[in-house]
Amino acid sequence: MVGEKTEDKAVGRTRGGLNTKLHAIVDGLGNPVEFLLSAGNDNDCVHAIELLENVELRGSNVLADRAYGAQSIREYISEHGANYVIPPQSNVSNPWPVDWYLYKERHLIECFFQKIKWFRRIATRYDKLDTSFLAFVHLAAIAILLT
């Protein structure tokens, strides 16, 4: 069977070797809400809508970095009754306005990723299978919530 070895592993080749990306959503307090794994060589915006489908967006502000500024993502957020605070990339021909004061709250997701890297098993991806890796990500998130 072709691809059997990497069938259930979100691992992709990057400059640093084989890598996995962990996409996450946190609430307004920095508490984890949703996770998704993807291969390290996948673009971030490819998995954004799949991640957002599992969360109620109505009446909220979605803060994200420039990698998530694709028109399809922004339309999805608007269609579900939320506002997006995503700065446009420098090469966009028709940039949209950004509330830079609100965008500063995006540090909550960066703080969450810093906390989750306290767990060596996550930072170095000891687990081969996605299910066991994601299970430990959930355990680490619970430990972060309890502290």
Side-chain angles (χ1 to χ4, degrees):
M1 299 204 157
V2 178
E4 186 175 332
K5 287 188 175 184
T6 60
E7 185 175 312
D8 50 356
K9 299 176 195 149
V11 177
R13 179 142 329 259
T14 61
R15 288 184 183 183
L18 296 175
N19 200 359
T20 300
K21 283 186 184 177
L22 175 64
H23 305 272
I25 295 178
V26 298
D27 63 9
L29 299 173
N31 299 323
V33 176
E34 189 67 36
F35 301 107
L36 179 73
L37 292 179
S38 69
N41 57 351
D42 285 353
N43 195 338
D44 290 341
C45 66
V46 174
H47 303 284
I49 293 176
E50 180 182 356
L51 183 63
L52 290 171
E53 286 174 346
N54 301 324
V55 180
E56 176 61 38
L57 296 176
R58 187 160 308 283
S60 62
N61 292 313
V62 177
L63 285 66
D65 62 6
R66 297 175 194 272
Y68 295 97
Q71 184 175 357
S72 59
I73 297 169
R74 292 182 286 123
E75 287 174 356
Y76 179 86
I77 293 169
S78 296
E79 288 170 1
H80 286 81
N83 299 319
Y84 58 86
V85 183
I86 305 171
Q89 292 184 349
S90 60
N91 60 353
V92 172
S93 60
N94 190 12
W96 53 89
V98 177
D99 183 356
W100 292 104
Y101 182 76
L102 185 58
Y103 182 72
K104 290 180 181 182
E105 294 299 316
R106 201 181 71 77
H107 80 280
L108 292 170
I109 188 74
E110 301 298 337
C111 291
F112 170 73
F113 278 117
Q114 187 270 332
K115 288 177 187 175
I116 207 161
K117 287 184 180 179
W118 291 346
F119 298 87
R120 186 173 163 200
R121 185 173 182 159
I122 293 174
T124 57
R125 172 108 198 215
Y126 284 159
D127 301 300
K128 285 187 175 183
L129 300 179
D130 288 346
T131 53
S132 57
F133 180 67
L134 196 55
F136 197 83
V137 168
H138 283 94
L139 285 174
I142 291 169
I144 290 170
L145 284 171
L146 293 176
T147 58

